[in-house]
Amino acid sequence: MNLRPLTVILGLICTAGVACASGAQIQLVPQTSVSVADQRSTVTINTTVFTPSGGLVPDGTQVTFSASGGATLRDTVVTTVQGRARAVLVAPGVAGTSVVTATAPAYGAVSTTEIEFFSDRSLLDSAKEYIEVYAPGSMSYGPQTKVIMASAPDHGVHLRYREISIEADDLQLEVRTYELRAKHAHVKMGKQEFETTDLYLKLNARKGYAYGHFSGPTVVGIKPYGPWFKAVVEQRDHFGFAGITSAGFHVPEANVSEEDVFTFKSLSDEESTVIQAKKAIAFPRKEVQFQDAVLTVGGAKAMKLALYRDSMGGSAGITDQIVSVNDNHLSVNYPYYLTLKPGEMSLLRFRTGQSYGRGIGSTNRVSLDYELNWNKGDNMDGGFIFSGLARKDWNIQLRQYLRFKDDTTLYANLEIPAAKGLFGTTSLNRQFKGFGVSLGANANQTLHGPRFDNKQVALNIETDPIKTGKFPARLYWGMQASYNQSTNDVTGTHSENGAGLEIRSQLLPQHLDKNSTFNMGVRVLRTFAGTQQPLVMTASASVTRSINRNANILLTYDYNNDGFNSRLVGMHSVNLNANLDVGKFHFSGYALRSLDADRLTYFFDSSYRFGARWSLMYSHTFSEFLGERSLEYYPTLAYDIGGRQIGLTWSNRTKRFGIQLLGAPLN
């Protein structure tokens, strides 16, 4: 390897400052990362704001929230209690991903998280599914491609997924897509059981191709047919290339190539970090768990762990998740797993120098946490976290989700920060014939220090979608009631309540042309009792434009006149999402602008690879709200080393150069 470029960048890094840089950080933890796009379901966003020293910001610190993708927020400006603030996100009417942005203007901190909304609940069930693979011979996994390769003679590789079990000599599983390829396999699928030399199977669809015995139409002769002749066709057994489903074998489609479906995909582009293990449990929408894992980098063993897991989000290397250097600041996130199996996971986690927001700074907080998570498919999911063991600012969190049959769900969350306060959230949803009912409540109660108490209760009853003739929209109507009360030592007690009738309409997505889609939703609430504004109206209109498969733009206009949030952030706002990939150049950005209030947030990331190993990156974040503004940007020069990147960055906030290594956001 040519070491001259490496020598150059190491020389530059040696001139960089060596003091640790840190900044205020916002940690966003959503109640769930997936939900249903029904304009009814809610997701609670738990937010913790840290000072540059790693402590919690003072009570009363303002945190502003925004959301894209048609999702709405019940409160867009929330004040912290014990460093924490909560926002409730209401699902959009169409499937997609919503980016939730939180900003602490007084500290110049910005952070984002993503919530994926599915068109129906059946797609949510797949988020809980898992695929179990055991290989006593050899098994390897690529963290970037998310592909498992396994081999063992005499049908030694074992795979299990729901009612499907497969034993094979060689196996390749593309975790994200559920695509399985195998050689010399014994397959059990429902009532079927067969042997095949080659197998391709889309596990979640129970469809694929194999070599096996099947019955198909066969020409056995001809017979006179008037002045002509016609073929005599009979159903006969064959052995050969066939399509397979849970119902049995069938004649494959004419345009299907055996070579295309059976050939193992090449992993030559995989990064140098590979996980080797005896057993893997893959949750295709969430993570892959490993037992007896060995992490290799460039073919050399780097670490051995009894239990480990890799997130399906992103393509960061395994060592990046444990240790990184971020603007000269060492960050460690080391999990020691106590149990790791379907339905249960417990661990001790050591953390220091964590970076939660978009900036390159990190907190100086050192923490040892205990985590316990449990689930039983889509019917139950819960967790217990005791963070900050032996710290004065420790925190206990308990959460539980329950699904009763298919028509009732319950979610509850409780936090106790250092015995100084109580934070509770609960929501109950019940679907009846023709309508649904949702009841949600949030409560914050300080136990020591200045008083900051808040209680919120909301009841919503709404019909199922009603067709509007030939007009491409769905109509909903219902009743809504809410009660809000806040108490603090400065302003005393303030309450607001109301009840009324609600009507809303959701346009079905309209294709303006083959690359553009328009969508719109309107909600009107007329209150008849309480202190709320008599007429509340919200609307959202968006246009999605796919320029090509490498570039797309989403432009959204939001109108909100609720008498509360609109006083702070305005009634009119627009937001823009853009993504672009052209050759060696990549760009992604987001912008939100209130048209009648002092609020502006935008950020973007770009990168350009100008050599086989050299890259230039740039990240930019700006936020302004009611006179408070912050700006952070940093260019980075990076060099690839064996599948990793080492970079030299400059931050306008610290006014100095810094080192980025491993965990830096350089791709």
Side-chain angles (χ1 to χ4, degrees), residues 208 244 287 308 350 367 441 475 478-479 506 534:
I244 55 173
E287 63 186 28
Y308 199 75
F350 175 77
S367 179
L475 189 67
M479 295 180 290
Q506 179 65 49

Side-chain angles (χ1 to χ4, degrees), residues 422-436:
L422 294 174
F423 296 79
T425 298
T426 184
S427 62
L428 176 65
N429 295 273
R430 175 69 187 271
Q431 183 64 40
F432 296 91
K433 186 176 181 179
F435 68 97

Side-chain angles (χ1 to χ4, degrees), residues 103 206 493:
T103 305
R206 278 78 168 174
T493 299

Side-chain angles (χ1 to χ4, degrees), residues 472 507-520 541-546 553-555:
L507 184 71
L508 300 178
Q510 299 298 298
H511 296 285
L512 303 179
D513 56 41
K514 65 177 182 179
N515 296 319
S516 303
T517 303
F518 174 76
N519 197 22
M520 183 177 181
S542 65
V543 176
T544 303
R545 173 73 177 175
S546 296
I553 296 174
L554 171 62
L555 178 63

Side-chain angles (χ1 to χ4, degrees), residues 143-157:
Q144 183 174 348
T145 58
K146 312 299 182 186
V147 172
I148 294 175
M149 295 282 292
S151 298
D154 302 322
H155 290 176
V157 181

